[in-house]
Amino acid sequence: MLRLLVTLALCTLVLQLAPVTAQHQQLLTPWAADVDSENVLPEYPRPQLVRADWFNLNGWWDYALTRMNDPAPTEFEGQILVPFPIESYLSSVQRRADFKHIWYQRTFTVPETWTGERVLLHFGAVDWRVTAWVNGIEIGSHIGGYDAFTFDITAALHPSGEQHILLDVFDPTEGTQPRGKQVFRPDGIWYTPSSGIWQTVWLEPVPSVAIDALHMETDIDAGVLRLSADLSSATDVSGYTLEVDARASDELVSTASGAADATIEVVIPDPQLWSPDSPFLYDLDVRLVHAGAVVDQVGSYFGLRKIAVAPDAEGVLRLWLNNAPLFQFGLLDQGFWPDGLYTAPTDEALRHDIEVTRQLGFNTIRKHVKVEPERWYYWADRLGVLVWQDMPSGDAFVDPGQGEIDRSDASAAQFELELQWMVDTHANHPSIVMWVIFNEGWGQYDTVRLAEWLQAYDPTRLVNSASGWNDVGAGGVYDIHSYPGPDVPGFDSQRARILGEFGGLGLPLSGHTYLAQNSWGYRQYETVADLTVAYTDLIEQLYVLYTDQGLAAAIYTQTTDVETEVNGMLTYDRALIKMDVDQLYALNSTFYQTLTASN
């Protein structure tokens, strides 16, 4: 009943503050009714570095919009439900922030049990530039719309009682910064902005010397996990050690220890490998020890897997998983929601799209020019799907065959900083098997240099230097786009040949479209039967490219309809899967027959 009342209140507030415009219809996913304003996205937000104690700051915050160069507001305009973007239905505001600053404020009380600990303020992601104050003291700023960041707020806290947070957020939307598909005037393949806080905000108590991050690299041939840690202290840590326990289904399988500033090898006997068919994950307990006492302790997990490009028995370069060739066949996933925009309404909603992808017979998701919350990759790891992770695009575009843009030093520096952050913060996920630096000609520059840098920085994954349009011969794959296609790149003796986008077959289903009419697709169909025939024909052609012409992977456009696009396997509201699930699974899964390995 509480959730129902909250949902009705949200509906009333949205109608009062920001009626849905005449240009589109408001769609809601099945999970919108499950959003509880007193318990928004309550799941632990960082599954690969877990501590028992934390405090969720999602929920109602005060908000205000001010013009450029205006001072901080003295009064606030209303309340916003964090962490939903201000433009979204679920935020209860549903207003555009165009060239305005978004101000947030709320109060909280530090639990008494945290006395003597440092208190960290964590943000999953804020789009795009944020400055924060606690109790009137500026505690830090951050630039970048897709990465997690943390402020140590201990020194700014009152000894007891109510504490105050104030945030100033600015999102230029169409500036040179990485922004993906967010635009001022959404249309076609371009979508509504998601400004401000769009991932979980939370507090955490930690000791003076704590584990800040874990770095994990697995070697299936040697059967080992190599682990190191970042510690949050300028103190000499030479007297500190790390103790590591690895468990399989709650059974202890290995222990190891070593100096806290060293890389520790954890030997895994009879290793069980991670794959889409068997997404086996080991649990980890990591303890930081000093003078015989446990100073800090975190939980995590890892999967043993290996990705490579190598020839099959016929000498054709394929994508290999765990020392065997595997065709990677997946969906282009935009990660947009009609009610939450960049932010899924619930954790179940976040999980749902991955589950449906697997149910339809796909083993891969290309996460398109967006970086998701950590829990999305947790579900990808748990449910067993291969992920091609795009770097969000930004700056100017160039047309097919037109080379690269001239990017300013500031724009390039921000892009490369966010690229490195994306890799650093997601490198432990076994599901991620490929980094995609550029999509088509969107902000593409210095491709060879960046591909060489990234391959050296993370040799455990494949690098796709440019998906579609402007190939410069770099990276481990040669990627083209073909709509509706399918097609295969020309011969390349050094790289696997893949089809990074194809399909885009559209079907608008009445009552489930963003536009009442004039929806868009690369090809448009009027009935489910017609769409099924066209899709079947497309996949049968793709199969020939796979078996006879050396195509190593393909990504179909796309998981769901998004705003004006109706190219999805699902409707935008996730209410309907457009074609028969069993029929699609049988057709799509034919690609996973075992290819013969080379000798």
Side-chain angles (χ1 to χ4, degrees):
M1 179 60 71
L2 175 60
R3 287 176 177 168
L4 177 60
L5 292 174
V6 169
T7 301
L8 291 174
L10 280 171
C11 292
T12 303
L13 203 53
V14 167
L15 289 173
Q16 290 174 345
L17 293 178
V20 176
T21 64
Q23 284 76 25
H24 71 84
Q25 307 176 101
Q26 180 63 64
L27 297 176
L28 300 180
T29 65
W31 304 277
D34 295 331
V35 175
D36 179 352
S37 65
E38 302 303 317
N39 200 25
V40 183
L41 295 174
E43 295 79 14
Y44 191 82
R46 193 183 56 197
Q48 285 197 319
L49 191 73
V50 178
R51 289 189 177 90
D53 210 358
W54 69 294
F55 186 82
N56 196 335
L57 291 177
N58 291 343
W60 293 113
W61 291 53
D62 299 324
Y63 87 93
L65 293 173
T66 63
R67 295 172 299 179
M68 295 281 289
N69 302 318
D70 279 358
T74 56
E75 296 183 359
F76 285 75
E77 301 176 43
Q79 290 195 306
I80 182 170
L81 193 60
V82 168
F84 299 106
I86 194 169
E87 297 91 347
S88 73
Y89 170 88
L90 287 173
S91 73
S92 86
V93 179
Q94 208 170 12
R95 290 174 60 184
R96 293 288 292 272
D98 300 349
F99 295 113
K100 293 185 176 69
H101 287 247
I102 313 169
W103 295 84
Y104 296 82
Q105 75 165 4
R106 68 158 290 167
T107 59
F108 67 94
T109 302
V110 178
E112 291 183 4
T113 55
W114 293 9
T115 301
E117 301 273 65
R118 291 189 296 122
V119 178
L120 304 181
L121 174 60
H122 298 290
F123 293 85
V126 179
D127 194 8
W128 172 72
R129 185 182 72 212
V130 59
T131 302
W133 295 261
V134 171
N135 297 327
I137 299 171
E138 183 174 336
I139 48 125
S141 60
H142 179 81
I143 296 176
Y146 298 92
D147 41 86
F149 58 97
T150 298
F151 300 129
D152 186 332
I153 64 172
T154 312
L157 294 173
H158 298 316
S160 63
E162 203 168 68
Q163 318 284 341
H164 177 260
I165 301 175
L166 177 68
L167 306 176
D168 173 14
V169 180
F170 178 69
D171 177 21
T173 298
E174 290 190 15
T176 62
Q177 82 284 357
R179 63 182 186 271
K181 289 197 168 188
Q182 302 178 78
V183 294
F184 287 130
R185 296 177 178 82
D187 186 43
I189 66 168
W190 306 104
Y191 314 137
T192 302
S194 291
S195 302
I197 299 171
W198 68 276
Q199 292 187 28
T200 291
V201 186
W202 52 294
L203 296 169
E204 179 183 40
V206 298
S208 58
V209 182
I211 298 170
D212 259 1
L214 297 177
H215 305 285
M216 293 181 272
E217 184 177 315
T218 62
D219 184 337
I220 70 169
D221 300 312
V224 300
L225 163 72
R226 298 184 181 96
L227 180 143
S228 62
D230 294 338
L231 304 184
S232 59
S233 175
T235 305
D236 179 11
V237 297
S238 58
Y240 289 77
T241 61
L242 287 178
E243 297 178 349
V244 183
D245 294 342
R247 300 180 183 275
S249 305
D250 293 328
E251 180 182 347
L252 183 66
V253 297
S254 185
T255 63
S257 63
D261 56 356
T263 297
I264 298 169
E265 285 205 352
V266 185
V267 177
I268 308 298
D270 302 317
Q272 300 184 63
L273 303 186
W274 183 96
S275 72
D277 288 338
S278 179
F280 188 86
L281 296 172
Y282 291 86
D283 292 319
L284 274 180
D285 292 318
V286 182
R287 296 178 296 277
L288 180 64
V289 178
H290 184 254
V294 175
V295 176
D296 192 17
Q297 182 169 343
V298 296
S300 191
Y301 68 86
F302 67 96
L304 287 156
R305 70 103 184 92
K306 177 183 179 181
I307 185 71
V309 171
D312 63 15
E314 306 301 320
V316 177
L317 290 175
R318 302 284 187 180
L319 304 184
W320 287 47
L321 181 69
N322 299 336
N323 296 327
L326 176 68
F327 189 82
Q328 296 186 17
F329 186 26
L331 292 174
L332 191 75
D333 193 316
Q334 313 274 6
F336 273 76
W337 302 82
D339 37 25
L341 295 176
Y342 255 18
T343 309
T346 68
D347 196 57
E348 280 299 313
L350 204 62
R351 173 178 177 161
H352 170 267
D353 284 3
I354 301 173
E355 287 182 317
V356 170
T357 298
R358 298 295 286 126
Q359 291 166 4
L360 296 178
F362 298 99
N363 66 1
T364 303
I365 292 173
R366 180 180 168 202
K367 179 51 64 176
H368 194 37
V369 294
K370 180 194 178 191
V371 181
E372 291 285 0
E374 275 293 298
R375 291 196 64 84
W376 188 90
Y377 302 95
Y378 166 81
W379 286 121
D381 295 339
R382 289 282 174 196
L383 298 173
V385 65
L386 304 169
V387 175
W388 301 4
Q389 178 60 54
D390 286 14
M391 174 62 193
S393 54
D395 214 311
F397 299 166
V398 291
D399 291 329
Q402 297 302 306
E404 302 179 323
I405 71 168
D406 292 324
R407 203 155 186 162
S408 71
D409 290 344
S411 174
Q414 185 63 34
F415 180 88
E416 291 171 37
L417 182 62
E418 293 192 43
L419 173 63
Q420 182 174 337
W421 283 341
M422 180 182 75
V423 175
D424 288 344
T425 54
H426 295 83
N428 293 336
H429 290 285
S431 56
I432 300 177
V433 296
M434 184 185 298
W435 302 117
V436 183
I437 303 176
F438 296 112
N439 178 71
E440 297 179 342
W442 303 358
Q444 187 175 350
Y445 75 104
D446 283 358
T447 312
V448 173
R449 175 180 65 84
L450 289 173
E452 290 176 348
W453 168 82
L454 183 51
Q455 193 62 81
Y457 193 68
D458 182 8
T460 70
R461 290 180 175 84
L462 304 179
V463 171
N464 185 338
S465 64
S467 182
W469 289 15
N470 298 318
D471 180 69
V472 296
V477 295
Y478 180 8
D479 181 330
I480 64 167
H481 296 174
S482 178
Y483 284 105
D487 203 352
V488 61
F491 177 75
D492 191 302
S493 62
Q494 302 297 316
R495 300 178 297 166
R497 296 176 293 154
I498 66 176
L499 181 56
E501 293 181 28
F502 81 107
L505 306 182
L507 175 66
L509 292 179
S510 180
H512 301 279
T513 58
Y514 187 76
L515 298 180
Q517 55 186 359
N518 299 323
S519 295
W520 181 87
Y522 288 94
R523 291 283 175 89
Q524 200 90 323
Y525 298 90
E526 296 183 357
T527 68
V528 170
D530 289 343
L531 176 65
T532 302
V533 169
Y535 180 79
T536 301
D537 178 65
L538 201 68
I539 302 311
E540 288 175 348
Q541 294 180 55
L542 185 72
Y543 190 79
V544 174
L545 299 180
Y546 155 60
T547 57
D548 296 357
Q549 297 191 41
L551 186 68
I555 301 293
Y556 179 84
T557 300
Q558 57 193 351
T559 308
T560 72
D561 295 347
V562 185
E563 299 196 352
T564 62
E565 283 191 80
V566 289
N567 303 318
M569 288 286 178
L570 294 86
T571 54
Y572 193 22
D573 57 9
R574 275 71 165 178
L576 298 173
I577 301 172
K578 295 183 183 179
M579 293 178 277
D580 182 78
V581 172
D582 293 337
Q583 186 175 351
L584 287 177
Y585 182 87
L587 180 64
N588 294 335
S589 60
T590 58
F591 288 88
Y592 312 132
Q593 62 182 331
T594 302
L595 290 166
T596 304
S598 60
N599 294 326

